[in-house]
Structures are given as structure tokens and as C-alpha cells.
Amino acid sequence: MKSTNHKHNSRSVLACAVSLAFATLSAPILADADVQGRITDNRSNLITGAEVSIPELTLRRITGADGRFQFNQLPKGTYTLLVNYLGAMPETRVLVVSDSEQRLGDIKLLSASDSIEHIEVVGQSGAVSKALNRQRNASGIVTVASTDEMGQFPDSNVSEALQRLAGLSVERDQGEGRFVRVRGLAPDYNAVTYNGTQLAAPEAGRRAVALDVIPSDLLESVEVSKTLTPDMPAGSLGGTVEIKSLSAFDRSNDFYSITAEAGYNEQQSKTSPKLSGVYSKILDAAGETDSLGIAIAASYAERKFGSENVETGGSWDFDDGLEEFELRDYTISRERIGLALNLDYRPGNHNEYYLRTLYSEFSDTENRQGLVVELADPQFAGSTGEAEIIRSLKQRKETQTISAVVLGTKQQSGNWQWLLEAGASKADEDTPFNISAADFAQEFASGIGFSGTDVLRLTAPAEAYLANGYALKEVEMGDTYAKETERNVKFDLSREIIQSAGSLTLKAGAKYSQRRKTTEEDVWLFEDFADVGISALSMADYAAGAVDYSLSTMGAEVSSASIYQLVRGLNRDDYVDDVESQINDYRVDEDISAAYVMAQWERDNWQLISGVRYEHDSRDAIGTRYDDINEVFSTNEQSSRKGYWLPAVVARYNVSEQSIVRAAVSTGLVRPNFEQLAPAYILEEDDDELEASFGNPQLDALTTKNLDLGIEHYADKLGVVSAMLFYKQIDNFIYEADLAGRGDYMDFAKAETFVNGGKADLYGLELNAIHQLSGHGNWMDNLLLSANLTLTDSAADIEWFDDGALLSREVALPSQSDKTANLSLGYETDTISLRLAANYKSKYLAEVGDVTDSAYDVYSDDHMQLDFTAKWTFQRGMQLYFNVVNLNDEPYYAYTGNKQYNFQYEQYGRTLVLGVQITNW
């Protein structure tokens, strides 16, 4: 891979690339008739992912969610039309092509199972069948999570559904799956798109998109591409998560679905409601029959739950003991609202216009009661001594929104096809005036200590739990807002050429996108309350009921209403923290120009894709520089221009009708996080020594060279066994470093920033098996088994200076688990569906605590969670379901260096859900 810094006109490059791709194409058109049709089962349900082929011409089509296929401008003659679909009997027809277009209508497939009269499109089998057929017929390596015909994911949350797939795991927040890891790579190394448009990320400083923000009720499927082809935008090292929305043409008839449920969490004993609905209809328009499709989806959910936590934050002196720890009790309410409106207009067989919209709102209200123990001297468990105890409150409501609009058209003219599409996405995160920390302190001359290892329990006299002994110390308030926008336009052009040596498709395209990230933060620090006449200085003046905390005892809780009343009676302008209110404000503008050319060749059992993509980045950043020595603020502006060439070769070979060998050599890139690029700079002096901390807008993108090799074997009915090897060499690995003692920071005692490192290596093996039992003639034929295991390993070097000498050590990539596994056992009849699923991931490096000392590295411990789902179809189209999430009550545990040194322990309890769904399926 080559990186260039030329300041050429990137838009001219795009125009030239598209023009040159087809300037030399003068091959004669050998075809003169079109053939089209639709694949259904014998109940007229549309079949997604069926392979429709004409062996004599080495032509192949894969049906989309609408079940359609189309061959354009076929030569006159008599051919064989072959339809293959896992779980169905192969269908063969004689196809006679003449001068006129042929509409074959619906081709109905029959079940391959002796015990089933129709193809399974609902429940576990239906969702698995859809996913496996799309995976089998894909050009590259993909995994798919698909809804069944009733519009249900196997899990209510998109990220929870994805964690069941081979090579994927989730990053959790308060026990809920939020971000997705692909093949051991952290969420920021993977891209998330909505119908091809890059989704903006609401969180300040990150590019990763939290998938729990998007209700799964609004979607048709989620596809994860683990190999990159030139027509895919760069932006991922592990994989691209493509969210595909529902369309009215995904159903053969008008469709509606209504779901209502109630949830219950053990930690809070409160009911959490959810209501969602989907409606789609196909209409006549402009004189065309069934040409306009309208699909609407809406979802509302409120989840009330809690968690209990004890953490040290890594405050260990391994020789002398623990310096500080904190007990935390969370009360949480999360509200999700989702809306989608999708329109499709298909006036003919060669024209298509579409509009895709998405709006998702996620509100997270959190009340955190804390008890912080600051020991005067480090202690080990079992001893006691002097300490200060701080009773602390944090309360805030954070609202994240994501919206997206995609408007496009697909046009077919003979063997030519072109696509023009414009997309826009906006995301923001708003945390208005909130309590960052309200602290009450009390000194203890003796008697303070702790017991336990992973779960620390406070040892203290009775006075530590009484509110009247704590004095008001300070209240920190905050107000933050982050916003990201992304706009893009793209054009793709392709031509299919039928040759005696096989079919050849040439494709080229261009894309231009603009992204902007802005963050704003205001901080107020209220203290010295007696000086302004405040007499209520005891925690007893602000206390409410007792904290319900099962891990230990905390005493009374601090009332958030009383704290808000206190600070609103004061003049905010007198308490502004000028430095914190400016240093975290920044804006980053990023323009990306891209173009690609590629060719796809198919003959007999071979398929080969080869091409190259070029992307040019133009980035401008503006932030704040603060000189604490002279107490001066100034503007910090920086720009960068870089270009990247991204070649790829992807191949598949059909060893037999059931077995496929896949291989790929590809390249990719991921741009640095906005937190790493932020142009904030703080210069300070401590004991006459210079110290600085700053972002690095000049960081290069992480780039990777990827090798993939694997084999898949599909059962005749429903099942697969596969093994995939992968290797990634990552260049420009980014980590936090101290530059003191070198270059421009030779005279500094500390200069902390983000830098590009050398190379990092990631390699692994994905094993996947799905099997539906059959042939037993009893209840065992209703069992569906699914298991996958991903083994990964990685290594990266991080560096630092010590007395002028450059030192380094090897670390694993953050968030990379050596083992990720899923095991699922399902049982399904026409009326009953049961599933028990286990998800496991081994420990992983969560953060580098101290660059110079591996003993302070923070690891998240092994995690295995069991979930159970039961569904009862008591009438056609009516279903009652019951879910248990975290059946084994698995906590989260992280440690510093060694398991005996707690970093964080958190427990969530079980969540029970009871719901009903009504559909006209």
C-alpha cells in the first residue's frame, strides 16, 4: 500500500477514473432479449439469496430481499435455468430466448426435507436459511443476521444479534451490547453503513457507531463484510457492518406487524415497556401496476434497570497496597425511539428510484451514588488506617440521535447499469446542564480499610454511613454537546460482457463525502459555599432515602433535586472553569474523494474480482491552545492532505455444489479517532518542569494488508461447516506516548500525545458449524444446533524514552480476545420455538495503564453469558414470547495486571421480557 501527499486536484482524478474505465470498451453487444422472474416458496413467500444461473453462459444472479432476478440482453438460443437454495429442492427449467422480453413470473421452490411441506421462512430455521444462502452466494466473506418472515431478529438489539455470528463480539455498557468487534478488532476499527451511507457517530471523540441506538424493528438484515472489494468505501480494518432497511417489495403482499412487550430487571424491580409496528404496502402509480412501495416502521422502548459496582480505577501500589477505591450504585432509565420511512418506485423492469430514511433517538438517564475511599497510606485487604471518605453524586440525562437519508436511482440499459445516489447522516450527543460530581467529605483518623479481592467491601465505623458527618466540599456541573454530519454523493457504472471464456463485468465509480465533527463543553466548579452565605453544608441537608446497594453498605443517598436547587440559586458566571470550558471545544472537517475500477470474471466454478480504489483525504482541524504558565488562550489550527491506493483481489472456487473455497488479498484503512486528532494543547509548569498534553491532527491513517483463505461446506438441506484463516498486517498503529526528551520536546518532563507506531500483526482462525437435525422421524428433527469459535492473536510494539534511550515492549491490540465462541441449541415446531444461547469471550487488553510497565495494563476478564428465548405461535400470525437475558447473572470484571487486583467489578442481574406479536403473515 502506498501513501501519497500530493496536493493535486482530487476531483479531476475521480472524473478521469470513471472516463478511462470505459473508454476502451468497444466489444459488440451479443444479446438481444431480457429474462426476468421471481423466486417464491409454495406459499408465495419471497425467497432471498437464491442462486439463479444459466450454466451455458456462465451467468449467475442472486435474488435480493424482493426475490427478483433479471438477465439482460441474452443471445438467442435454448438454455438451462437453474435455481438453487439451501433447504429447497433444485429447480430446473428450459429457457428459450427469442427477440422479445420474457417474464417468467413466480418460480416456486419446494422443501428439500421429507418432513416439511414448505420452505421454512419463519422462526429460527427461516432466519438461518436466509442468512446462509446470502453467505453462500456472496463474492467475498460475509456473515449475515437476518429477520424471519415475521420481521423478527433472534435478539431485540442489533448488536446482541450480531454477537451470535462467527468472528464477532460486542462491547457492553451497563450490561447491554453497544459496539461490535469484528475479528478481534476494536469497534473504532470497523465501519457501520446504512444502505451504503456511512452513519455519523454521536459520541464525542469516536467514529464507532453504537448499534443499540438503532432498534432492530426498523431493519431487514445486517450484513458484515470481512473482505473488502474496490467498490466498498474504505474505513474498516476488521469489517464493514451494513444495515439494510426494510422495503415494501420485500413482501409479496401488504404487510403489517405489531409488537408489545414488558420487561423486568432484578436490580430495579420496575416494568419496562416496548411497542413497535411495521407496515408496508405496494400501490399502483402513474399507470404502472404495483410500482410504488411504501414501508413505515416505528418503535418505542423504555428500559428501567440498574447495576452495582466497586472499582479501584487501577490505583494500586503493588508493593504497599491500594490507594483508593469507590463503591457505586446506578439507577438507569433508557428510552429508545425509532422511525423509518422507505419509498420505492419501480416504473419498469429497468428503472428504480428509492428513498431510505432513519431516525433514532436514545436517551440515557443515569443517577450514580458513589462512596469514594481515599486512603492516607496504601493498604492491603484486612488492614485499617486513616482515610478521607467522599460521598459523591453524579446525575445526568444524555440524549443521542442518529438520522440518515439515502436518495438514489438504479438504471439498466442493455448490458449497462448505473447507480446515482446521495446520502446524508447526522448524529449528536447532548448532555445538558448536569451534575458531574457533588462531593461531601469526612476525615477518619483510623478504622478505614477493605476486604475481598474482586469484590471489595468497605471496613468502616458506623459513623461512615451517617449523613450528618459529611460536609459539602464542591459541586462540579457540566454541559456538553457533540455533533457529527456526513454527506456524500456517489456514481457507479458497470457493464456485463458475455464471452466464450466466461462472463465479465467491468465496473467503475466515484464518491465524494464531507464529514464534520464538533464538540462543545462548559464546566462550572461550585465551592467555598460558606463565603456566599450558604448555611446548608451537611450532607444531611441534601440526603434522601437509603441506597439499595447489595455489595456492601453506603448509607443515605444524595438527592439530585436538592443539588440542582442549590446551584441554581447561585450565579453560574462566577464559577466557570475557563480552561475546561474551552480546551475540549474543537472542530474537524474531513473531505474524502474516492474513485475505483474493478473487474469481475466468472467461468465454470471460478469467480475472480480484481481492482483498485484510491482515496484522498483533506482534513482541517481547529481547537484551543492554553499556556498555563502565562495564562494565555490561543487558536490552534492544523491541516493535512494524504492519499491512499487500495488494491484488492477476491476469488472463490466451487469445489462441488456443496463446497466453496474462498481467498482474498486486500488492503484497507481506518482514520484516527477524533479524540486523537483533536487540536487541543495544554502547556503547564510543575516544579519548574515543563509538561504538555495535546492531540495530534497530523496522525496517519492505520492501513492494513489482509490475507484470507477458507473453505465452506453446505448441507443439502440446512447447515454449514466452515473454516476461515485470516491475517492482517497493520501499519501506523496508534497509541498514547510521552514525547518528552526527544525532538521539539527535548526540555520537557512530560509531553503526552498520540503517535503512529510501527507494525501490528493480527491473525486467527474462524470455525463455524450450523446443523439442522433430520431423518430421525421424531422430536430430534426439530433441533437446530449452531456453534462457532474464533481464535485470534495479535502483537504490536509501543515505545517510550527513558534517560534518552528508546525502549519498547509488545502488547496485544486493545479489545482483542484470544477466544470468542457461541453455542446455541434450538428446538422448533410449527407452534413452539425454544433457544438457549451461550456467548463467550476470553480476557482482552482494555487499556494500557502505564506505557513503561505491563503490570499496570488493564484487562477485561473472561465473560460468558446465557440467554434464553421461548416463543409460542398460538394462532397463525400471533405469537407470544418470553426472553431471559443474562440467565446466569454474569458480572463484568476488569483487573490491573493480575486478577487479584480489582480495576472494576459490576453486576447487572437478570432481565425478563414477556411480549406478543401480531402479524398478517
Side-chain angles (χ1 to χ4, degrees):
M1 182 175 307
K2 183 179 180 182
S3 173
T4 61
N5 296 304
H6 306 301
K7 298 182 179 180
H8 54 269
N9 190 325
S10 56
R11 297 184 186 181
S12 297
V13 173
L14 304 186
C16 291
V18 176
S19 301
L20 289 173
F22 297 95
T24 60
L25 295 182
S26 57
I29 297 177
L30 303 176
D32 55 2
D34 296 344
V35 174
Q36 63 158 304
R38 196 169 68 165
I39 308 299
T40 72
D41 69 358
N42 59 358
R43 290 180 174 176
S44 297
N45 298 307
L46 302 179
I47 301 297
T48 303
E51 180 188 64
V52 185
S53 62
I54 302 176
E56 294 88 347
L57 299 176
T58 63
L59 293 177
R60 189 172 69 106
R61 298 290 187 266
I62 308 302
T63 59
D66 58 2
R68 296 195 311 170
F69 68 90
Q70 182 167 318
F71 295 96
N72 299 299
Q73 299 291 288
L74 297 180
K76 295 179 183 179
T78 302
Y79 307 103
T80 303
L81 187 74
L82 181 62
V83 183
N84 282 302
Y85 185 83
L86 287 178
M89 296 290 293
E91 177 73 15
T92 303
R93 292 194 176 187
V94 176
L95 178 64
V96 180
V97 178
S98 58
D99 294 334
S100 59
E101 179 182 67
Q102 289 196 49
R103 298 189 180 186
L104 302 180
D106 290 350
I107 299 176
K108 298 182 183 295
L109 302 183
L110 301 177
S111 173
S113 173
D114 297 332
S115 61
I116 301 175
E117 297 180 355
H118 55 86
I119 300 171
E120 290 294 337
V121 293
V122 296
Q124 300 175 53
S125 298
V128 169
S129 179
K130 281 185 181 181
L132 286 185
N133 276 283
R134 287 175 58 179
Q135 174 182 312
R136 178 192 190 186
N137 294 315
S139 299
I141 300 172
V142 303
T143 48
V144 180
S146 178
T147 63
D148 62 21
E149 192 66 21
M150 295 180 73
Q152 283 188 317
F153 270 94
D155 297 89
S156 60
N157 177 299
V158 175
S159 57
E160 297 284 353
L162 288 176
Q163 73 172 332
R164 314 291 179 194
L165 305 180
L168 275 69
S169 60
V170 297
E171 207 174 79
R172 297 180 182 275
D173 177 61
Q174 293 293 341
E176 292 186 330
R178 298 205 70 193
F179 297 97
V180 174
R181 302 188 189 96
V182 182
R183 287 183 163 177
L185 287 168
D188 291 293
Y189 296 158
N190 306 306
V192 177
T193 60
Y194 177 72
N195 294 305
T197 285
Q198 183 83 43
L199 281 181
E203 294 197 14
R206 298 195 72 172
R207 294 182 186 267
V209 178
L211 290 179
D212 69 330
V213 177
I214 304 171
S216 62
D217 310 81
L218 311 184
L219 312 177
E220 186 64 27
S221 66
V222 183
E223 182 175 300
V224 182
S225 297
K226 300 174 184 176
T227 52
L228 301 175
T229 52
D231 57 345
M232 297 173 61
S236 68
L237 300 186
T240 297
V241 179
E242 167 70 351
I243 298 171
K244 296 183 182 295
S245 62
L246 70 164
S247 164
F249 289 101
D250 297 345
R251 301 287 190 274
S252 55
N253 299 298
D254 296 346
F255 177 80
Y256 67 80
S257 176
I258 300 172
T259 303
E261 70 177 42
Y264 171 86
N265 176 255
E266 290 181 335
Q267 296 287 100
Q268 286 297 308
S269 301
K270 294 181 180 179
T271 302
S272 300
K274 177 182 176 181
L275 182 65
S276 66
V278 179
Y279 175 75
S280 67
K281 187 175 183 64
I282 299 176
L283 305 168
D284 299 340
E288 295 279 348
T289 303
D290 293 341
S291 58
L292 178 63
I294 301 173
I296 303 171
S299 176
Y300 171 81
E302 182 182 16
R303 183 174 180 231
K304 300 173 183 178
F305 64 106
S307 66
E308 296 174 334
N309 169 302
V310 56
E311 61 184 62
T312 67
S315 300
W316 289 96
D317 182 323
F318 297 117
D319 293 327
D320 299 320
L322 181 62
E323 298 172 345
E324 179 181 326
F325 66 98
E326 180 176 2
L327 314 181
R328 292 181 177 182
D329 180 82
Y330 292 87
T331 303
I332 303 166
S333 176
R334 290 181 171 174
E335 185 179 75
R336 293 175 171 89
I337 300 173
L339 299 169
L341 170 63
N342 298 328
L343 304 177
D344 294 88
Y345 178 52
R346 299 178 178 180
N349 299 323
H350 305 293
N351 307 307
E352 181 178 342
Y353 305 88
Y354 53 89
L355 173 69
R356 303 284 184 263
T357 67
L358 170 71
Y359 175 80
S360 181
E361 180 178 301
F362 171 72
S363 298
D364 184 7
T365 302
E366 179 181 291
N367 190 90
R368 188 186 80 193
Q369 299 287 336
L371 188 153
V372 183
V373 181
E374 295 181 353
L375 300 167
D377 297 302
Q379 294 178 196
F380 287 109
S383 59
T384 60
E386 180 184 354
E388 180 182 44
I389 296 182
I390 299 172
R391 289 300 315 277
S392 184
L393 168 71
K394 177 181 179 180
Q395 197 283 333
R396 58 108 174 105
K397 180 178 181 180
E398 179 182 275
T399 302
Q400 295 182 352
T401 66
I402 296 177
S403 59
V405 178
V406 181
L407 178 65
T409 180
K410 295 178 183 178
Q411 302 287 329
Q412 188 88 35
S413 178
N415 284 330
W416 292 87
Q417 185 180 74
W418 59 270
L419 176 146
L420 179 63
E421 188 174 273
S425 179
K426 174 191 170 185
D428 62 9
E429 180 181 72
D430 187 17
T431 312
F433 194 63
N434 65 91
I435 304 171
S436 300
D439 292 343
F440 298 80
Q442 182 175 183
E443 298 281 351
F444 291 86
S446 62
I448 306 299
F450 68 95
S451 61
T453 52
D454 52 347
V455 181
L456 307 185
R457 288 178 168 80
L458 174 65
T459 301
E463 299 83 47
Y465 308 108
L466 301 178
N468 57 13
Y470 290 89
L472 180 60
K473 184 177 181 181
E474 63 182 25
V475 177
E476 180 180 319
M477 306 294 291
D479 189 329
T480 62
Y481 181 73
K483 177 182 175 182
E484 182 176 322
T485 58
E486 199 274 348
R487 299 179 179 87
N488 67 81
V489 61
K490 72 174 183 178
F491 177 75
D492 293 322
L493 181 64
S494 65
R495 181 185 176 185
E496 184 178 61
I497 303 172
I498 301 174
Q499 302 174 323
S500 59
S503 66
L504 177 66
T505 301
L506 300 176
K507 189 175 181 181
K511 182 176 182 178
Y512 179 71
S513 63
Q514 293 180 318
R515 181 185 292 264
R516 169 173 286 187
K517 188 82 164 189
T518 58
T519 66
E520 300 172 2
E521 182 174 10
D522 292 309
V523 178
W524 298 266
L525 187 61
F526 296 86
E527 53 189 354
D528 301 325
F529 295 97
D531 295 345
V532 292
I534 301 296
S535 58
L537 300 178
S538 169
M539 179 180 159
D541 298 314
Y542 304 90
V547 179
D548 184 9
Y549 183 71
S550 66
L551 296 179
S552 186
T553 302
M554 292 180 66
E557 67 178 33
V558 180
S559 167
S560 60
S562 298
I563 297 298
Y564 280 118
Q565 183 178 0
L566 168 68
V567 298
R568 284 171 178 156
L570 302 172
N571 185 358
R572 291 191 201 178
D573 295 340
D574 295 336
Y575 299 91
V576 174
D577 188 323
D578 292 323
V579 175
E580 294 299 324
S581 296
Q582 294 187 56
I583 201 65
N584 293 319
D585 297 351
Y586 67 85
R587 187 185 76 220
V588 177
D589 291 304
E590 194 173 77
D591 294 351
I592 302 171
S593 305
Y596 73 91
V597 291
M598 61 177 279
Q600 178 174 312
W601 174 76
E602 291 191 49
R603 180 180 179 182
D604 299 327
N605 296 321
W606 282 98
Q607 183 187 73
L608 183 67
I609 297 174
S610 180
V612 64
R613 186 180 188 89
Y614 176 79
E615 296 209 354
H616 183 268
D617 294 1
S618 176
R619 185 180 298 120
D620 298 299
I622 181 170
T624 301
R625 179 187 178 100
Y626 178 65
D627 182 346
D628 186 56
I629 300 171
N630 299 301
E631 298 185 348
V632 174
F633 289 95
S634 59
T635 300
N636 186 21
E637 296 186 56
Q638 295 195 40
S639 300
S640 66
R641 306 289 185 266
K642 294 181 176 68
Y644 303 90
W645 291 98
L646 304 166
V649 177
V650 180
R652 60 172 275 168
Y653 176 72
N654 296 336
V655 179
S656 67
E657 291 185 2
Q658 287 79 34
S659 301
I660 301 171
V661 173
R662 300 182 187 272
V665 180
S666 61
T667 50
L669 69 86
V670 164
R671 296 166 179 93
N673 272 339
F674 293 106
E675 177 188 18
Q676 298 163 343
L677 293 169
Y681 190 106
I682 299 180
L683 176 65
E684 300 174 298
E685 191 173 60
D686 185 14
D687 294 332
D688 296 326
E689 290 186 322
L690 293 175
E691 296 183 352
S693 60
F694 48 96
N696 186 358
Q698 299 301 321
L699 285 170
D700 290 328
L702 289 80
T703 58
T704 181
K705 299 180 180 70
N706 310 306
L707 298 175
D708 295 272
L709 178 64
I711 185 169
E712 301 167 345
H713 179 79
Y714 293 87
D716 289 333
K717 296 178 182 178
L718 183 60
V720 66
V721 177
S722 66
M724 296 287 170
L725 289 165
F726 58 90
Y727 169 75
K728 298 177 183 293
Q729 179 183 292
I730 302 171
D731 293 319
N732 301 322
F733 174 71
I734 297 174
Y735 64 96
E736 192 170 3
D738 188 347
L739 302 183
R742 51 176 158 167
D744 295 336
Y745 304 96
M746 186 64 68
D747 298 328
F748 281 65
K750 181 186 296 183
E752 296 177 336
T753 187
F754 297 95
V755 299
N756 287 113
K759 296 180 180 179
D761 296 293
L762 174 74
Y763 48 90
L765 171 65
E766 282 181 11
L767 302 172
N768 186 33
I770 298 174
H771 179 60
Q772 184 171 39
L773 274 65
S774 62
H776 298 277
N778 53 32
W779 62 270
M780 294 183 65
D781 288 343
N782 300 318
L783 293 176
L784 179 65
L785 305 177
S786 175
N788 59 69
L789 171 66
T790 303
L791 306 173
T792 55
D793 197 5
S794 65
D797 289 329
I798 54 176
E799 301 174 341
W800 70 95
F801 272 87
D802 187 6
D803 292 332
L806 180 63
L807 303 177
S808 67
R809 67 181 176 96
E810 186 177 274
V811 298
L813 290 172
S815 295
Q816 179 258 308
S817 294
D818 289 346
K819 301 181 187 68
T820 303
N822 288 282
L823 180 63
S824 175
L825 174 62
Y827 177 83
E828 191 168 53
T829 68
D830 289 340
T831 57
I832 298 294
S833 176
L834 307 173
R835 188 191 68 173
L836 179 65
N839 174 260
Y840 170 82
K841 58 187 175 190
S842 62
K843 72 171 186 178
Y844 61 87
L845 177 66
E847 63 180 80
V848 176
D850 184 342
V851 173
T852 67
D853 191 348
S854 62
Y856 289 92
D857 288 345
V858 180
Y859 290 89
S860 289
D861 201 10
D862 299 352
H863 187 277
M864 189 184 79
Q865 180 171 310
L866 297 176
D867 301 311
F868 175 74
T869 299
K871 298 177 181 179
W872 174 42
T873 303
F874 56 90
Q875 187 173 327
R876 181 172 172 83
M878 296 185 180
Q879 191 176 80
L880 186 71
Y881 60 90
F882 174 69
N883 301 334
V884 184
V885 181
N886 197 17
L887 180 64
N888 57 328
D889 194 12
E890 180 78 352
Y892 171 80
Y893 182 61
Y895 56 88
T896 304
N898 188 294
K899 284 189 177 183
Q900 70 187 47
Y901 299 111
N902 166 298
F903 183 88
Q904 180 181 348
Y905 175 92
E906 196 162 72
Q907 64 182 28
Y908 313 104
R910 301 171 184 84
T911 296
L912 312 179
V913 176
L914 181 65
V916 63
Q917 184 185 38
I918 302 173
T919 180
N920 71 331
W921 177 83

